[in-house]
Amino acid sequence: MMRMMTRVLSSPSSHVSSLTYSPRRVIRASRDQLHAQTVKSHHLPSGSSSTSLCSCGRKHFLEAASPTMPFLPIYSPNASRSEDVSETFHPQRPDWYKELFAWFLSTGMRSYEAEIADYKRKLFEKLAGKAETVLEIGVGTGPNLKYFASNENVCVFGMDPNHKMEKYASESAREAGMKPENFRFIQGVGEAIPLDDDSMDAVVATLVLCSVSDVSQTLNEIKRVLKPGGIFLFIEHVAAKDGSFFRHVQNVLDPVQQVVADGCHLTRNTDLYISAAGFDGGTEINNTAIYSFPWIIRPHVYGAAYK
């Protein structure tokens, strides 16, 4: 029986009407340069009005100079900047690899998603009525979007370094019944989230922290973009117990896993990273095993952390 922590988040604060890319705690040279380009090309002029585009009532401003952009969702849509930042942190793969990996996630994870559905359902209940702006790191093909569909007031920003995921994630949003304006795919990485400080009610990561290049930096970025009282939900596979046969096999196979699974590590103690991240509102971490996964990826942790 899954034990979950009950906590009521504070009411969402007033909407963010004019947010810009905010670089901090990352490689300063690359991000500051990119930020300067963004401000020059995409800064909203003083006095410009903001327009409500999400049914959640959050007000995002239009890109005045680009009528083809439907809206500017708390980040710069500068494609070259997003790609440059992603390349700084994420292993570089050819397009055929990115497409193949996206296809595999869309077709090869169904048994896993079926087994873990109850865990996710109870975990995502923590957001009901409390979160209107949500960032999902490593949105992939969008298997979690169906858990948001019942909330007409939620706006989800799905971030992934692999741009090939966008068509799958967008289709998942449509199949889940989400309004088009309530889901936005953005290309980016967890170590350099292209969103403002204190801009998100919730951040979600499922099977993501195993593959980021810097777990601590990603968790710092998550805390940065969360509003005070905001919630971070996670489900991650982790390293087996030290000294166990499973851990020995993980150690042997870890280099291969990183190549075939887009940077995924088998031997990360992600739960220890989350515990040490310093979420002021508290952290709850639960352990379980998922049997539809290969046995070397069976140990899982799940839970919530509060800013």
Side-chain angles (χ1 to χ4, degrees):
M1 188 71 178
M2 187 169 67
R3 179 175 62 89
M4 303 299 297
M5 176 174 64
T6 301
R7 179 186 176 108
V8 179
L9 297 182
S10 57
S11 300
S13 59
S14 59
H15 63 75
V16 181
S17 60
S18 178
L19 298 173
T20 55
Y21 176 65
S22 177
R24 69 189 274 185
R25 288 197 298 274
V26 291
I27 298 177
R28 290 187 178 277
S30 61
R31 287 193 70 176
D32 287 352
Q33 180 182 7
L34 294 167
H35 176 54
Q37 296 171 356
T38 298
V39 171
K40 181 178 180 181
S41 303
H42 299 284
H43 182 66
L44 186 67
S46 175
S48 297
S49 62
S50 59
T51 305
S52 176
L53 289 161
C54 283
S55 64
C56 61
R58 300 282 173 176
K59 296 195 175 181
H60 307 301
F61 52 84
L62 293 173
E63 176 56 61
S66 178
T68 60
M69 264 299 171
F71 67 98
L72 188 61
I74 319 182
Y75 87 113
S76 167
N78 186 310
S80 62
R81 178 184 66 74
S82 297
E83 184 177 354
D84 288 344
V85 172
S86 296
E87 291 179 356
T88 301
F89 298 100
H90 193 71
Q92 297 312 297
R93 314 291 188 189
D95 274 357
W96 68 262
Y97 179 101
K98 295 177 181 178
E99 182 65 57
L100 180 63
F101 190 65
W103 172 83
F104 168 75
L105 290 186
S106 70
T107 60
M109 299 289 287
R110 292 170 183 169
S111 60
Y112 172 82
E113 291 297 334
E115 182 178 358
I116 206 166
D118 285 342
Y119 291 90
K120 286 188 174 183
R121 193 174 299 110
K122 293 178 182 178
L123 201 59
F124 279 87
E125 284 177 358
K126 292 178 176 290
L127 304 183
K130 307 180 185 73
E132 293 185 350
T133 53
V134 178
L135 166 67
E136 181 171 358
I137 297 176
V139 66
T141 58
N144 295 329
L145 296 178
K146 61 178 173 288
Y147 299 103
F148 299 107
S150 62
N151 184 358
E152 294 184 353
N153 295 323
V154 70
C155 294
V156 180
F157 300 95
M159 187 179 74
D160 203 285
N162 184 350
H163 66 279
K164 297 292 186 179
M165 299 290 185
E166 180 174 3
K167 63 181 179 181
Y168 294 100
S170 297
E171 179 62 25
S172 293
R174 286 192 293 270
E175 290 179 353
M178 293 186 70
K179 296 179 180 179
E181 63 269 25
N182 282 15
F183 174 73
R184 185 70 165 178
F185 182 93
I186 56 178
Q187 187 177 7
V189 291
E191 297 89 343
I193 299 173
L195 299 176
D196 270 355
D197 297 1
D198 306 327
S199 59
M200 294 288 109
D201 295 318
V203 176
V204 173
T206 64
L207 302 184
V208 173
L209 297 181
C210 60
S211 59
V212 299
S213 62
D214 190 322
V215 183
S216 296
Q217 182 166 300
T218 299
L219 290 169
N220 284 337
E221 283 287 277
I222 289 171
K223 289 192 298 179
R224 177 182 67 78
V225 302
L226 276 175
K227 295 178 182 179
I231 184 173
F232 169 48
L233 300 181
F234 56 88
I235 299 176
E236 299 286 342
H237 71 82
V238 294
K241 185 178 179 180
D242 285 340
S244 67
F245 172 74
F246 285 176
R247 180 58 179 271
H248 175 71
V249 176
Q250 285 179 332
N251 290 338
V252 172
L253 296 180
D254 191 54
V256 177
Q257 175 75 0
Q258 292 180 45
V259 174
V260 301
D262 205 16
C264 173
H265 293 71
L266 296 174
T267 57
R268 279 194 173 159
N269 292 305
T270 304
D271 49 337
L272 300 183
Y273 281 100
I274 296 173
S275 295
F279 284 91
D280 294 336
T283 302
E284 180 173 340
I285 300 175
N286 305 279
N287 296 278
T288 191
I290 302 299
Y291 290 88
S292 57
F293 250 25
W295 56 270
I296 56 170
I297 317 178
R298 187 168 296 169
H300 273 55
V301 296
Y302 63 93
Y306 300 86
K307 181 174 178 179

